[in-house]
Amino acid sequence: MADGSNRQTRITSSHWGAFEVDVENDHIVATRPFLCDPDPNGIPDILPAAVHHRSRVARPSIRCGWLEQRDPTGRGTDDFVELPWDEAFDIASQEIERIRQAYGNEAIYGGSYGWASAGRFHHAQSQVHRFLNCIGGYVASFGSYSTGCAQAIMPHVFGVNFLTYCYEHQDGWQTIHDNTETLVMFGGINPKNSKVSMGGVTEHETAGWLNRFVANEMHCINIGPQRTDAPDCCDWLPARPGSDTALMLALAYVLQIEGLSDTDFLDRYTVGFDRFLPYLMGYSDGQPKSPDWAAAICGVAPEKIFELARRMAKTRTLITVAWSLQRAEHGEQPYWMSAVLAAMLGQIGLPGCGVGYGYGAIGGVGKSLIGLRGMTFSQGENPVQAVIPVARIGDMLRYPGQTYDFNGKRNTYPDIRLIYWAGGNPYHHHQDLNALHDAWQKPDTIIVNEPWWTSTAKRADIVFPATTPYEREDIGRSNLDDYLFHMPQLIPPVGEARDDYSIFAGLAERMGVAPDFTEGKSAEDWIGTLYEEFRALAEDKGIEVPDLPTLKSENWVRLPILANGPNRTFLASFRVDPERSPLPTPSGKIEIFSDTIHSFGYDDCLGHPAWLPPSEWFGSANEKFPLHLVSPQPGDKLHSQFESALADVAGARPETLVMSPDNAAARGLSTGDLVRVFNARGSCRARLSVSDEIQSGVVALPTGAWFGDPGGNIDQDGNPNVLTRDVGTSRLGQGCSAHTALVEVSKLEG
Ligand SMILES: Nc1nc2c(c(=O)[nH]1)N[C@H]1C(S)=C(S)[C@@H](COP(=O)(O)OP(=O)(O)OC[C@H]3O[C@@H](n4cnc5c(=O)[nH]c(N)nc54)[C@H](O)[C@@H]3O)O[C@H]1N2
Ligand SMILES: Nc1nc2c(c(=O)[nH]1)N[C@H]1C(S)=C(S)[C@@H](COP(=O)(O)OP(=O)(O)OC[C@H]3O[C@@H](n4cnc5c(=O)[nH]c(N)nc54)[C@H](O)[C@@H]3O)O[C@H]1N2
Ligand SMILES: [Mo]
């Protein structure tokens, strides 16, 4: 706390964990790791510079071309004028009302995807959704960029909600440690990604667990394009991106021809193997899915495939699949096929065995906790029925009135006139940003709440300056973490920033819905109400939570919710008695063939998993753009957050592109070179790093740079989404296909 000067130290929480913050003269001056974190990360190091950065939005701002003549075309190039809050509120509320009157609430897009900041009450998406519901609703979005495709396919296979499977039914690290002999990680398990977790992860333990696994003689194999996707202690089996389904099919083929497939398990617990087998063996299409066949696709030698299949059958094996595999065209297939492969091994439902998803993707997966939810600010009811798959926003703007398929339904894209975004940066997260820039000109009006002048804020018509968590009070807690934080207000709002709640309260007042939105409560009142509701829920489960004044004075507590054993409730009981504890699928069993999906008649997602080549990948033999681009999450930050301050660091931008030595030599490139990464959709700059830890033919450029100039100009800081393709994973999932893109790389002179 106080140290004699006016320096104060408090602890706060964030998506990347808890950390100490030093405040002096209303400024954040330093951050330090939280003492209970065994493996803290450096993400908060940039916070003092970022929070007080010149790129903060200081005052409500309106784009000149919109203010003067409602011209949508200057988005991204026009200047802004600053207005007092009252005037900006008047203009925004009148415009929202005009759109509602003229076109109805179906013309308002409020999907507002994005991670915003941690903190239970000031959750930007809950705030914007509640506000829009109070005025009659909005077009919402389904799923996430993280797991949209998996959320569509996996309920057909196991019957449960995919995220519930990831968070509640999979084994915890301890169970894996104690039981698993072979860990086969498609896409790795990367401690870099485990730095973050929605709402926060306090004890970062993924790297520690993997080291313990290997020390315990577990065989851990990372399968994928980058060695760095798992800690050094793990083995690496290089494989081409987008090809995992072929490799999994070949592993299944070996199990089948060598009599290693568990037919008793398949008979008792699955449905449809008999309809999948002709495809696997090639009776139905003339192509056996043999290791020789797969080797040409995935780049893994046939002997290695035989060896791995035998090992998987003879040891207690857990297959894990990174979320990245389904962020690609036909991303449904490796997800479904991994479940089929695990079913053929016959170990599903045994501790430390079977198949799991998203270990390492976020720090919370693998923590075994007694489920304890709560402290969610109610969004109310949305009277508007239209919902789009979240990653289809570009198509929605481009093709109003056009029909499209989605998971068995035929839907129509609404005609959007107004977009309201709070807590996300689509000009970081969406694919094919040059195309989005064109589609973005279509709506009459775009309103954004944002702390910083991000690439999205610059493309809005009305920008309201939002506070960061350090400028307001909140409660920090994640359902996947066992710590609870009071997040004190550390500094006054920067500039004239206001929290999202007060921004929406201001609009609600002008639109006559303040009583619905605020229920007469201040932010502080709401925090008290939500906290007491949470305490009561916890008490029902016998978990003691301190009262709010106590939490405020303690700053944080650890909740006694760590579970000792496995939490695989539903697959374990299904294994014990599949008749009494059926899965919530149509057959009650694991669906290797799905009559439901088959009935949709999709050629890009059949009734059983299959190898469907992506449109852009190694095998498409594209001479102009021969390199497969993967665009993983950035290790040093969360998506595009704090980007403006990070970009100030000398040499930090453009972003680093990783390339193999042979690919670099063929292009006369070496480490440190400034390069142009390009394809027909766009181009960006990058700084080259030549490394033998990436597979030949693949290049990796992390996400996170802000999108620069509109149009075809080269993106300066290296945003990979100028290169990625904006196409759904399939008619079933309609997820984002970020990892399906081909590029070429050349040296940038001067
Ligand atoms: N090529 C490629 N693209 C990808 C991916 C990929 O793998 N490859 N991954 C995708 C995935 S999985 C995701 S989740 C997305 C992530 O994309 P986003 O979640 O959109 O990225 P963020 O940078 O976290 O955006 C959050 C924004 O909220 C703002 N913010 C923070 N706090 C507040 C607040 O209190 N109020 C308001 N109003 N705003 C606030 C931040 O300043 C920031 O601009 O990217 C996707 N895009
Ligand atoms: N530090 C940090 N951590 C984060 C985030 C962040 O912004 N910063 N974002 C968080 C979010 S929102 C999410 S959704 C998760 C995402 O978690 P993931 O989806 O697991 O993470 P990615 O970094 O997109 O991809 C992991 C690796 O998959 C590999 N890969 C790509 N395509 C393929 C493929 O077809 N096959 C195989 N076998 N491997 C492939 C790439 O080499 C890549 O490095 O990460 C979270 N963690
Ligand atoms: Mo994500």
Side-chain angles (χ1 to χ4, degrees):
M1 297 289 275
D3 66 355
S5 70
N6 67 354
R7 186 179 274 231
Q8 293 268 323
T9 300
R10 301 290 287 173
I11 287 156
T12 193
S13 177
S14 71
H15 292 309
W16 51 88
F19 56 98
E20 289 183 9
V21 188
D22 290 348
V23 176
E24 210 173 279
N25 300 325
D26 291 343
H27 270 64
I28 294 178
V29 291
T31 64
R32 270 182 311 280
F34 178 50
L35 74 162
C36 298
D37 186 350
D39 186 15
N41 59 68
I43 296 179
D45 294 354
I46 196 74
L47 195 84
V51 166
H52 303 283
H53 198 262
R54 61 184 182 283
S55 62
R56 286 293 300 265
V57 182
R59 275 169 285 280
S61 300
I62 305 203
R63 190 173 61 79
C64 296
W66 184 89
L67 190 61
E68 285 151 18
Q69 52 203 337
R70 294 293 189 269
D71 174 11
T73 58
R75 291 180 183 137
T77 48
D78 270 2
D79 289 333
F80 284 79
V81 284
E82 296 183 338
L83 290 178
W85 274 100
D86 278 342
E87 266 178 64
F89 273 151
D90 287 344
I91 292 171
S93 56
Q94 282 160 20
E95 177 63 4
I96 299 170
E97 191 53 30
R98 181 187 75 82
I99 300 280
R100 282 187 60 222
Q101 297 291 341
Y103 309 105
N105 285 69
E106 292 75 15
I108 301 175
Y109 182 65
S112 190
Y113 182 76
W115 270 58
S117 291
R120 300 301 308 202
F121 175 67
H122 294 288
H123 176 246
Q125 267 194 44
S126 303
Q127 298 286 345
V128 64
H129 292 164
R130 182 183 170 98
F131 165 70
L132 293 174
N133 284 336
C134 287
I135 60 161
Y138 62 96
V139 174
S141 59
F142 168 85
S144 62
Y145 282 71
S146 319
T147 60
C149 165
Q151 288 178 56
I153 181 75
M154 294 318 281
H156 290 290
V157 182
F158 286 122
V160 282
N161 174 289
F162 174 69
L163 293 176
T164 309
Y165 186 101
C166 287
Y167 302 153
E168 291 172 25
H169 297 314
Q170 298 187 153
D171 286 323
W173 297 120
Q174 185 70 53
T175 306
I176 299 172
H177 174 271
D178 295 347
N179 295 282
T180 310
E181 292 170 314
T182 304
L183 183 67
V184 181
M185 306 173 283
F186 287 93
I189 290 184
N190 198 329
K192 163 209 71 149
N193 285 359
S194 311
K195 287 177 185 174
V196 316
S197 208
M198 297 87 169
V201 51
T202 309
E203 296 186 18
H204 293 89
E205 48 185 14
T206 303
W209 277 115
L210 282 159
N211 283 308
R212 255 170 277 161
F213 293 171
V214 173
N216 206 26
E217 301 197 344
M218 193 190 299
H219 196 111
C220 300
I221 311 155
N222 160 26
I223 303 179
Q226 295 199 81
R227 179 179 184 90
T228 50
D229 286 329
D232 290 345
C233 59
C234 303
D235 285 347
W236 181 36
L237 190 57
R240 291 184 189 118
S243 72
D244 305 82
T245 309
L247 176 54
M248 290 174 190
L249 281 164
L251 292 166
Y253 181 90
V254 176
L255 297 181
Q256 185 62 27
I257 61 166
E258 299 203 346
L260 298 171
S261 176
D262 188 335
T263 46
D264 291 341
F265 185 92
L266 292 171
D267 286 347
R268 187 148 191 228
Y269 300 99
T270 73
V271 65
F273 186 70
D274 55 326
R275 295 165 83 183
F276 167 71
L277 192 59
Y279 170 75
L280 183 67
M281 301 311 292
Y283 307 147
S284 58
D285 64 351
Q287 177 58 66
K289 308 306 172 296
S290 65
D292 279 336
W293 166 80
I297 296 170
C298 65
V300 179
E303 318 77 82
K304 296 249 178 199
I305 301 177
F306 275 104
E307 190 191 313
L308 180 60
R310 290 171 192 149
R311 175 189 281 278
M312 289 169 81
K314 295 201 168 116
T315 55
R316 286 195 304 271
T317 297
L318 176 65
I319 300 167
T320 66
V321 189
W323 285 348
S324 58
L325 270 74
Q326 52 83 66
R327 218 172 293 121
E329 213 181 317
H330 307 139
E332 294 81 6
Q333 305 309 316
Y335 263 56
W336 198 354
M337 189 55 214
S338 63
V340 174
L341 183 58
M344 290 175 74
L345 292 169
Q347 302 175 356
I348 290 175
L350 296 176
C353 300
V355 60
Y357 303 92
Y359 287 100
I362 54 165
V365 174
K367 286 198 192 267
S368 250
L369 298 179
I370 298 167
L372 180 60
R373 294 169 195 234
M375 270 193 291
T376 309
F377 187 41
S378 169
Q379 304 184 4
E381 295 290 316
N382 186 354
V384 172
Q385 297 301 313
V387 177
I388 60 156
V390 67
R392 301 274 45 82
I393 178 174
D395 285 348
M396 172 186 75
L397 296 175
R398 278 186 287 271
Y399 311 123
Q402 187 166 308
T403 56
Y404 66 98
D405 287 302
F406 177 40
N407 205 359
K409 296 209 176 78
R410 209 157 168 77
N411 297 343
T412 304
Y413 285 123
D415 189 359
I416 296 302
R417 301 294 178 142
L418 183 137
I419 295 177
Y420 205 130
W421 219 292
N425 187 0
Y427 277 92
H428 149 261
H429 71 229
H430 194 62
Q431 287 56 65
D432 199 352
L433 289 177
N434 288 316
L436 181 67
H437 175 81
D438 295 338
W440 197 252
Q441 309 302 322
K442 213 220 118 223
D444 295 18
T445 301
I446 295 169
I447 312 180
V448 169
N449 295 1
E450 192 28 89
W452 283 275
W453 279 108
T454 62
S455 35
T456 299
K458 284 183 190 152
R459 285 167 179 77
D461 304 316
I462 303 175
V463 182
F464 288 118
T467 53
T468 68
Y470 323 101
E471 299 150 51
R472 62 198 185 210
E473 183 191 19
D474 213 333
I475 301 294
R477 169 167 153 72
S478 156
N479 293 342
L480 303 178
D481 196 55
D482 54 337
Y483 285 75
L484 176 66
F485 297 88
H486 177 246
M487 297 165 66
Q489 180 180 352
L490 298 168
I491 53 171
V494 170
E496 290 181 17
R498 296 188 184 180
D499 58 59
D500 293 291
Y501 180 69
S502 103
I503 297 172
F504 291 120
L507 292 171
E509 193 193 316
R510 279 160 182 80
M511 299 185 71
V513 294
D516 302 319
F517 182 74
T518 66
E519 297 179 29
K521 290 187 170 104
S522 67
E524 196 184 353
D525 297 338
W526 273 114
I527 289 168
T529 304
L530 299 183
Y531 190 81
E532 282 313 315
E533 285 171 9
F534 171 69
R535 269 186 88 207
L537 275 174
E539 206 180 303
D540 286 347
K541 297 202 166 189
I543 300 157
E544 206 184 316
V545 173
D547 63 20
L548 190 52
T550 309
L551 182 70
K552 280 190 191 187
S553 73
E554 304 272 310
N555 206 164
W556 61 275
V557 293
R558 191 170 183 190
L559 299 173
I561 55 170
L562 269 188
N564 294 319
N567 52 349
R568 308 157 285 108
T569 41
F570 98 124
L571 285 175
S573 48
F574 170 64
R575 185 178 181 101
V576 171
D577 191 340
E579 284 76 37
R580 280 238 189 106
S581 307
L583 298 185
T585 53
S587 61
K589 298 180 175 189
I590 299 167
E591 303 233 332
I592 292 176
F593 191 99
S594 163
D595 280 319
T596 310
I597 296 178
H598 178 66
S599 74
F600 298 158
Y602 298 156
D603 56 0
D604 53 4
C605 191
L606 312 174
H608 59 75
W611 163 248
L612 305 168
S615 54
E616 285 187 27
W617 71 297
F618 165 81
S620 49
N622 187 318
E623 277 160 30
K624 266 170 97 183
F625 310 115
L627 300 167
H628 189 135
L629 172 77
V630 290
S631 43
Q633 315 294 321
D636 58 341
K637 59 175 178 164
L638 177 64
H639 311 137
S640 71
Q641 302 199 25
F642 307 152
E643 169 63 14
S644 48
L646 285 162
D648 284 348
V649 178
R653 294 294 173 273
E655 272 289 359
T656 302
L657 179 88
V658 184
M659 182 186 266
S660 68
D662 60 325
N663 291 155
R667 289 164 180 78
L669 301 172
S670 37
T671 293
D673 282 351
L674 200 56
V675 294
R676 173 169 176 257
V677 193
F678 61 100
N679 60 21
R681 289 178 289 272
S683 66
C684 68
R685 300 197 314 161
R687 183 73 62 183
L688 196 73
S689 168
V690 180
S691 165
D692 56 12
E693 297 190 315
I694 191 163
Q695 191 177 31
S696 174
V698 183
V699 287
L701 179 65
T703 63
W706 284 356
F707 176 64
D709 295 335
N713 299 337
I714 186 164
D715 184 68
Q716 294 295 315
D717 286 351
N719 184 325
N721 278 323
V722 300
L723 304 160
T724 53
R725 202 165 158 238
D726 183 10
V727 61
T729 52
S730 79
R731 291 196 275 165
L732 187 102
Q734 294 287 13
C736 117
S737 298
H739 287 300
T740 305
L742 287 173
V743 298
E744 180 52 289
V745 178
S746 66
K747 196 164 179 163
L748 260 182
E749 305 299 342

